[in-house]
Amino acid sequence: MNIAIDGPAGAGKSTVARLVARELGYVYIDTGAMYRAVSLHMTRVCIRPDETDALSEEMKCLRIELRPEAERQFVFLNGEDVTDAIRTSEMSRLASLYAQVGVVREQLVEMQRQMAKRKGVVMDGRDIGTHVLPDAEMKWFITASVEERARRRYEEWKDKENASLEHFIQEIADRDRQDETREVSPLKQAEDAVLLDTTGMTIADVVRVIVDRAIIRK
Ligand code: CDP
Ligand code: CDP
């Protein structure tokens, strides 16, 4: 089966999805990494999110590859390893802007559907249960309070980026607003998704809940 995991930034989607995939022997697909890779490329070639025609043309020259390894997923952009380059606060902000553009979404969604065709994937993002894989056999919408999500991001980044907890609260709140209010495929819970508020839950707790439910369904 396919498992869709959606939710806002910092909810724990990628960490949990990767571990669930490992326990079930599934392939993990991080769709956020694809939007980040597009943003990195478009900023390098100086094409803004509002230049729709140029974006549409440039999308044709883009090759994004996800290579899952045991501990992390590597991301390649036209053959270059950009795994670390796409994980900055600036790329988070830009990804959310390029993700509002229809031509960008259409092409990435097509790639994501191809990747899930043979089943056995755990895919995380914002629109997986609602749009990319509406027929996924299991759908989760995982979330946590803004403060908790910002705290998690702060703990993760405090040694790498010189930013305060307040900075992350603001960044997460801004991104929630952008992702929830955009016209194309906004972030929202699919009607048939299970809601899981992970505030106060450890990563292991969340993984256990999802894996147990998946084993029953199999
Ligand atoms: O992918 P998403 O933005 O939803 O979140 P993530 O990158 O998987 O998780 C953000 C941070 O929160 C990571 O450092 C996780 O280790 C941490 N986390 C946590 O402390 N407790 C959870 N229940 C889930 C994630
Ligand atoms: O890890 P985090 O939750 O911070 O972000 P991400 O999953 O890497 O996604 C970065 C941005 O890409 C999000 O803020 C969304 O705007 C966008 N995105 C999307 O629109 N649709 C997806 N399926 C995945 C990501």
Side-chain angles (χ1 to χ4, degrees):
M1 63 180 175
N2 283 331
I3 302 178
I5 302 185
D6 291 301
K13 299 179 299 299
S14 14
T15 311
V16 166
R18 186 173 51 78
L19 293 171
V20 167
R22 195 166 69 181
E23 280 214 29
L24 295 174
Y26 280 23
V27 175
Y28 165 50
I29 299 170
D30 173 0
T31 63
M34 299 168 81
Y35 288 92
R36 287 170 181 269
V38 166
S39 308
L40 180 65
H41 179 78
M42 296 305 172
T43 47
R44 282 176 173 176
V45 296
C46 301
I47 300 177
R48 295 190 314 268
D50 59 347
E51 296 177 285
T52 320
D53 291 344
L55 272 178
S56 177
E57 269 310 299
E58 194 64 26
M59 284 300 288
K60 293 178 194 153
C61 319
L62 212 64
R63 198 162 37 83
I64 298 170
E65 234 185 299
L66 305 180
R67 288 190 207 159
E69 302 275 329
E71 285 312 312
R72 62 197 294 221
Q73 175 195 255
F74 287 84
V75 185
F76 286 80
L77 174 63
N78 292 339
E80 176 195 347
D81 181 355
V82 294
T83 312
D84 292 325
I86 59 172
R87 298 282 158 205
T88 63
S89 290
E90 182 62 358
M91 274 310 136
S92 304
R93 191 181 67 78
L94 288 169
S96 185
L97 295 178
Y98 286 98
Q100 295 179 19
V101 185
V103 290
V104 170
R105 300 202 73 85
E106 278 158 29
Q107 295 210 25
L108 294 188
V109 167
E110 183 51 36
M111 285 173 64
Q112 291 154 10
R113 286 182 179 152
Q114 285 299 328
M115 291 171 172
K117 231 176 173 171
R118 289 164 58 203
K119 303 265 181 189
V121 307
V122 182
M123 190 178 279
D124 88 308
R126 301 292 189 287
D127 58 341
I128 311 306
T130 52
H131 182 61
V132 180
L133 305 177
D135 299 329
E137 285 75 7
M138 263 185 103
K139 297 182 185 178
W140 294 87
F141 191 88
I142 68 172
T143 187
S145 67
V146 173
E147 291 73 21
E148 167 89 9
R149 291 186 280 124
R151 190 193 55 72
R152 289 175 183 172
R153 274 291 148 86
Y154 174 70
E155 292 299 328
E156 192 180 0
W157 285 98
K158 64 183 180 197
D159 299 332
K160 294 176 227 156
E161 280 189 18
N162 187 19
S164 63
L165 178 60
E166 287 66 35
H167 163 86
F168 283 99
I169 292 178
Q170 191 61 50
E171 196 233 88
I172 293 241
D174 287 346
R175 214 133 60 86
D176 281 359
R177 195 174 46 252
Q178 269 168 13
D179 291 350
E180 285 163 4
T181 59
R182 69 174 174 230
E183 271 177 38
V184 202
S185 300
L187 167 68
K188 72 167 195 273
Q189 185 184 339
E191 276 176 17
D192 49 350
V194 181
L195 173 67
L196 189 58
D197 185 336
T198 69
T199 312
M201 286 176 83
T202 65
I203 294 167
D205 290 339
V206 182
V207 172
R208 200 66 271 140
V209 170
I210 297 180
V211 168
D212 285 351
R213 191 78 76 98
I215 290 170
I216 295 168
R217 282 290 299 265
K218 278 212 272 185

